[in-house]
Amino acid sequence: MIKELTVRTSGKEDFVDVTEKVKRILENSNTDEGTVTLFVPHTTAAVTINENADPDVKSDMIRTLNRMVPEDWHYDHMEGNSPAHVKASLVGMSEIVPIQRGKMLLGTWQGIYFCEFDGPRTRKLYIKISD
Ligand code: ZN
């Protein structure tokens, strides 16, 4: 079973917390044990798992990635969005979360973020529940 989640991002860079939406999809699947696979079918967006309690973590990650991947570098890609492509690959297009007793084994402070690097746009996130 593969579900497609629509994610609307705001701003050039944006981390959207999709944890509750993924939880709802898992609950509706009635899966007791297995894995949730998350996959982003884009080249300038990504998915990651990190702290969702303090919003400063999200802005620190965006600011640090912007520092690591400067806008004024010698990029050849004519579309002009090479920093977004580089950041997307650094963060990665997939995550896997184990399921136990019908729940994702996320730590207390962990949340799932859809990461936008060339927004704002309407994006897709694929979610596959396997048992
Ligand atoms: Zn491009």
Side-chain angles (χ1 to χ4, degrees):
M1 181 190 84
I2 297 176
K3 290 272 180 190
E4 183 184 315
L5 194 68
T6 300
V7 183
R8 281 179 193 86
T9 64
S10 46
K12 189 163 174 16
E13 288 98 17
D14 190 16
F15 277 32
V16 181
D17 188 340
V18 294
T19 315
E20 290 306 315
K21 287 183 173 160
V22 178
K23 272 185 192 166
R24 227 165 294 141
I25 288 168
L26 173 58
E27 280 163 21
N28 291 335
S29 77
N30 290 315
T31 305
D32 196 47
E33 304 256 337
T35 52
V36 179
T37 303
L38 304 150
F39 182 73
V40 174
H42 302 290
T43 58
T44 55
V47 63
T48 194
I49 295 173
N50 215 304
E51 174 168 337
N52 66 353
D54 179 3
D56 284 346
V57 173
K58 172 172 123 173
S59 52
D60 282 350
M61 285 199 287
I62 291 172
R63 200 163 347 99
T64 305
L65 283 165
N66 286 343
R67 179 82 191 258
M68 289 166 67
V69 186
E71 288 288 326
D72 58 342
W73 182 243
H74 309 287
Y75 301 110
D76 291 328
H77 178 49
M78 292 297 284
E79 199 189 0
N81 62 351
S82 276
H85 289 297
V86 174
K87 283 181 249 183
S89 275
L90 283 176
V91 175
M93 277 69 180
S94 63
E95 288 286 357
I96 294 173
V97 186
I99 306 161
Q100 191 178 60
R101 288 187 276 278
K103 294 200 179 338
M104 287 189 286
L105 283 181
L106 289 170
T108 308
W109 310 110
Q110 284 183 319
I112 302 165
Y113 285 110
F114 183 94
C115 310
E116 175 64 79
F117 298 114
D118 196 20
R121 298 197 202 197
T122 300
R123 300 288 207 171
K124 281 182 209 167
L125 175 64
Y126 291 124
I127 297 156
K128 177 162 173 58
I129 314 270
S130 309
D131 55 11

